[in-house]
Amino acid sequence: MASVKQEISRLVNRLLASMNLKLLRLSDYKQIVEASPDPGRELWRWVRENYSIKTVIDIGSNNGDFAEFLACYFNAKQTYVFEPLPSYLSDLEGKAAKIPNLKIFNVALSDYEGEEFFYENSYGPASSMLRISELCKKEFPQTSGESEIKVKVCPLDDLLQSELESDQLERDVFIKIDVQGVEDKVIKGGKKLFSLGRCVLVEMSFVPLYKEQPLFEEVHDCLVELGYRFAGIKNQINSIKSGQPLFCHCLYVR
């Protein structure tokens, strides 16, 4: 599915091509947002003006482009990225020169520790711990192919236990979740970390694009239980065929 991280990636790549830069300054990211035709750009400015984001947690980071945007736009002091696919590891490692204090975790997040099958999709951003649904294949034909691999699975709180116990995480914390159908398990496995968060941006579905995935109401309830309130929608994707709402990126704040 087209996601906010792809939107930022296109903008960043266009700026890099036009300016022939290898490293963007904080001011460049601000210019990207302010020049973007995306009507949701005001949301980013609002978050920056109302929250002093110092730590970025990017869960489902893909190639790291969106983590780079968040870290630089908010001038974060530390960034933690979580991505289970080994194919993106070199891309993420290449971000270390651009993202201060970057920590990379090549693992899938859930509410238990172990190993699990992961379905790498022919359209990379649609990869998930869940099998893709027939509805998703119908709406997004590019997601029809997938291959099965084994990945390490771990709760977020376990991975960041030392940081949580020693209070090393700089406040405020911005958490982004793009995990294609296991949002509830990620939140349940990271309750301590989420209790420190100020803002959460999460992709949520209105229809089952993955088999047995939680829908909007269930993920919403998980966040409300932890003290967050629904603050707005970054963008919403509707069916081209019927116009039915399919999924959206939602902002929650504390």
Side-chain angles (χ1 to χ4, degrees), residues 5-74:
K5 60 175 172 270
Q6 292 174 289
E7 162 197 329
I8 296 299
S9 179
R10 286 195 297 269
L11 290 168
V12 169
N13 289 334
R14 189 162 59 208
L15 183 64
L16 285 170
S18 64
M19 300 179 69
N20 193 27
L21 291 175
K22 292 185 178 179
L23 181 63
L24 291 176
R25 300 178 301 275
L26 173 62
S27 58
D28 295 323
Y29 283 91
K30 293 178 181 177
Q31 289 172 17
I32 289 173
V33 172
E34 290 166 1
S36 169
D38 172 24
R41 63 186 180 275
E42 291 85 0
L43 180 145
W44 293 121
R45 289 203 296 267
W46 178 82
V47 171
R48 191 183 68 221
E49 291 168 3
N50 287 273
Y51 297 91
S52 180
I53 303 299
K54 298 304 180 193
T55 297
V56 168
I57 307 289
D58 187 347
I59 303 170
S61 59
N62 199 259
N63 63 9
D65 283 349
F66 194 47
E68 181 184 347
F69 163 74
L70 291 173
C72 294
Y73 187 70
F74 293 128

Side-chain angles (χ1 to χ4, degrees), residues 232-244:
I233 293 176
K234 174 66 174 66
N235 60 333
Q236 178 173 299
I237 305 301
N238 301 329
S239 169
I240 296 177
K241 301 177 178 65
S242 67
Q244 179 184 14

Side-chain angles (χ1 to χ4, degrees), residues 30 41 58 76 86 107 132 134 136 176 178 181 195 197 208 214 224 227 233:
K30 293 178 181 177
R41 63 186 180 275
D58 187 347
V107 62
I132 206 152
E134 293 304 315
C136 188
K176 168 247 166 183
D178 190 353
S195 70
V224 169
I233 293 176

Side-chain angles (χ1 to χ4, degrees), residues 157-170:
D157 284 345
D158 288 1
L159 291 172
L160 298 184
Q161 182 176 356
S162 62
E163 286 88 344
L164 291 168
E165 290 180 348
S166 59
D167 199 26
Q168 292 179 19
L169 291 174
E170 296 275 355

Side-chain angles (χ1 to χ4, degrees), residues 1 126 132-141 143 208-210:
M1 281 83 67
I132 206 152
S133 71
E134 293 304 315
L135 172 62
C136 188
K137 295 177 184 179
K138 180 180 178 181
E139 294 289 346
F140 307 99
T143 66
L209 298 174
Y210 294 85

Side-chain angles (χ1 to χ4, degrees), residues 101-239:
N101 298 317
L102 173 66
K103 292 188 179 181
I104 302 168
F105 296 83
N106 187 208
V107 62
L109 296 182
S110 188
D111 55 357
Y112 65 96
E113 183 177 359
E115 285 191 332
E116 191 58 79
F117 285 113
F118 194 89
Y119 302 97
E120 186 169 9
N121 199 274
S122 51
Y123 178 63
S127 301
S128 174
M129 288 178 65
L130 303 179
R131 301 298 297 266
I132 206 152
S133 71
E134 293 304 315
L135 172 62
C136 188
K137 295 177 184 179
K138 180 180 178 181
E139 294 289 346
F140 307 99
Q142 69 270 32
T143 66
S144 296
E146 60 184 15
S147 57
E148 189 178 81
I149 64 172
K150 268 282 186 77
V151 299
K152 181 181 178 181
V153 177
C154 194
L156 179 59
D157 284 345
D158 288 1
L159 291 172
L160 298 184
Q161 182 176 356
S162 62
E163 286 88 344
L164 291 168
E165 290 180 348
S166 59
D167 199 26
Q168 292 179 19
L169 291 174
E170 296 275 355
R171 317 293 177 87
D172 294 345
V173 179
F174 185 102
I175 305 169
K176 168 247 166 183
I177 314 172
D178 190 353
V179 292
Q180 312 302 324
V182 292
E183 297 82 11
D184 58 337
K185 290 183 171 58
V186 168
I187 296 168
K188 290 173 183 176
K191 288 185 177 181
K192 292 181 181 177
L193 185 281
F194 277 82
S195 70
L196 302 179
R198 293 298 302 277
C199 302
V200 175
L201 183 71
V202 53
E203 183 179 288
M204 304 162 77
S205 295
F206 302 114
V207 295
L209 298 174
Y210 294 85
K211 296 178 180 179
E212 300 181 354
Q213 79 170 109
L215 298 183
F216 176 92
E217 297 89 347
E218 297 164 84
V219 181
H220 170 83
D221 288 347
C222 288
L223 290 169
V224 169
E225 183 181 334
L226 294 175
Y228 289 92
R229 66 175 183 84
F230 179 56
I233 293 176
K234 174 66 174 66
N235 60 333
Q236 178 173 299
I237 305 301
N238 301 329
S239 169

